[in-house]
Amino acid sequence: MKNPDVIFPALAFNHLIYDTMAQVFEYATEIWNMDVRIHSSEDMERVVKHLWSLSFEYGTRTPEYAQKFEQLKQTYDNRFPNGIGHLLDVKL
Amino acid sequence: MKHVLLAIAAHCQPEVLKYTLGTWLETYDGSYKATVCVSLASDFELVCERADEILQMGTHLDIIRVPTYQPTGPIAELLKYSFIHANCVKNILQHCQNIPFTHVAILDNDLEFKTDFIKWSLDQNADLVMNLFDDRHWLLLSGNRWPLSWAPKCSVWNTLLSRMTG
């Protein structure tokens, strides 16, 4: 198997992400008439902390990713021993 | 009924994406319509031997291919990672512009859903939801070098946008 990172993600170049995402939002607001509202950092922190309690980002920015990936594979196999095909069939 | 376009920029091994989708599907109760669009770089098969495991989900997901990017130099892989991720998102939005969605949820490809936070987000008066970086100081420094006027202290990985109705 090749490097499980696929594309090595130890540290993203966030200025590049932000530049491109800014284009995305510009496109979304000006072309698609989407509504993008910016929250205060305090409000955002409150929302995001709640989101963290609801989800878990596995995290691909760490150098331990290869080890974590092996753990994820085991977790995936245990949680979805028959894959996720049945969920896709029923819910989508 | 709200119709959410789930946009996932994938550049990972199949288990990572399938774990994200599987945990979301386990919590998804059908209270909103969902269309899932996954983007892959055009050279994904070259870097992932089991790319077909993702492509085979194309009967349920909308999978689009995005032109790849081949930077050079010592930080090439980092540049490629950032560029591909952002470009995948942009291409999904362009690809799906004729889908009558009411909301877009831009998700990272490596999530575990404990509950359906998309459903929770839809009930909030929030059009933009992101996750904080774990290292704020580093991000703030980045912000000083590259101004971030629209998302203070937040990353762009996980986002929810709503389409204006009026």
Side-chain angles (χ1 to χ4, degrees):
Chain A
M1 190 171 98
K2 294 182 180 178
N3 186 337
D5 283 346
V6 180
I7 300 170
F8 181 69
L11 275 176
F13 266 69
N14 292 291
H15 67 288
L16 184 61
I17 291 278
Y18 278 111
D19 286 348
T20 309
M21 289 301 290
Q23 292 175 22
V24 167
F25 289 124
E26 186 178 325
Y27 185 92
T29 52
E30 295 187 4
I31 307 297
W32 292 10
N33 202 28
M34 296 184 79
D35 184 12
V36 179
R37 223 173 286 161
I38 307 302
H39 296 267
S40 69
S41 55
E42 291 78 15
D43 285 347
M44 190 73 83
E45 183 168 346
R46 178 184 59 78
V47 170
V48 167
K49 281 183 175 175
H50 184 70
L51 281 177
W52 274 353
S53 73
L54 301 178
S55 67
F56 170 69
E57 185 176 24
Y58 193 70
T60 52
R61 298 194 303 272
T62 63
E64 301 83 14
Y65 183 70
Q67 181 185 354
K68 292 172 70 176
F69 175 69
E70 292 303 320
Q71 293 172 355
L72 176 68
K73 279 205 301 186
Q74 287 186 350
T75 304
Y76 175 79
D77 289 341
N78 290 333
R79 186 157 176 174
F80 303 104
N82 300 313
I84 63 169
H86 62 292
L87 289 170
L88 292 167
D89 287 338
V90 170
K91 296 199 172 184
L92 288 180
Chain B
M1 189 180 203
K2 292 173 179 173
H3 181 179
V4 180
L5 170 68
L6 274 71
I8 305 176
H11 38 76
C12 56
Q13 292 292 332
E15 288 87 353
V16 178
L17 177 64
K18 288 193 286 189
Y19 195 74
T20 299
L21 290 170
T23 56
W24 167 66
L25 286 168
E26 280 185 334
T27 63
Y28 172 57
D29 64 2
S31 61
Y32 57 92
K33 183 178 179 182
T35 299
V36 184
C37 188
V38 172
S39 61
L40 298 172
S42 57
D43 65 347
F44 189 68
E45 287 90 339
L46 298 179
V47 293
C48 180
E49 294 169 338
R50 294 179 293 115
D52 60 318
E53 291 184 31
I54 294 178
L55 296 172
Q56 285 168 1
M57 292 192 287
T59 54
H60 298 88
L61 316 176
D62 202 0
I63 296 178
I64 66 168
R65 307 305 294 264
V66 176
T68 191
Y69 172 62
Q70 295 294 351
T72 56
I75 58 172
E77 288 303 302
L78 295 177
L79 281 171
K80 180 173 181 176
Y81 171 72
S82 295
F83 181 89
I84 289 292
H85 190 100
N87 210 35
C88 277
V89 173
K90 190 160 61 175
N91 275 268
I92 288 175
L93 296 181
Q94 291 169 343
H95 175 80
C96 297
Q97 59 181 305
N98 294 322
I99 295 176
F101 57 82
T102 60
H103 295 74
V104 178
I106 300 173
L107 303 177
D108 209 349
N109 58 190
D110 58 345
L111 298 173
E112 176 179 332
F113 283 74
K114 294 177 183 174
T115 64
D116 188 357
F117 67 82
I118 296 172
K119 178 183 177 182
W120 177 86
S121 300
L122 291 174
D123 293 333
Q124 306 300 306
N125 184 25
D127 296 317
L128 178 60
V129 176
M130 299 181 175
N131 60 317
L132 289 168
F133 267 115
D134 12 11
D135 184 350
R136 290 191 200 171
H137 297 297
W138 184 84
L139 180 62
L140 288 172
L141 285 174
S142 299
N144 288 335
R145 292 178 63 187
W146 300 288
L148 309 174
S149 59
W150 50 276
K153 295 198 294 185
C154 294
S155 83
V156 295
W157 300 111
N158 301 309
T159 304
L160 185 88
L161 303 172
S162 65
R163 206 172 221 176
M164 284 182 187
T165 54

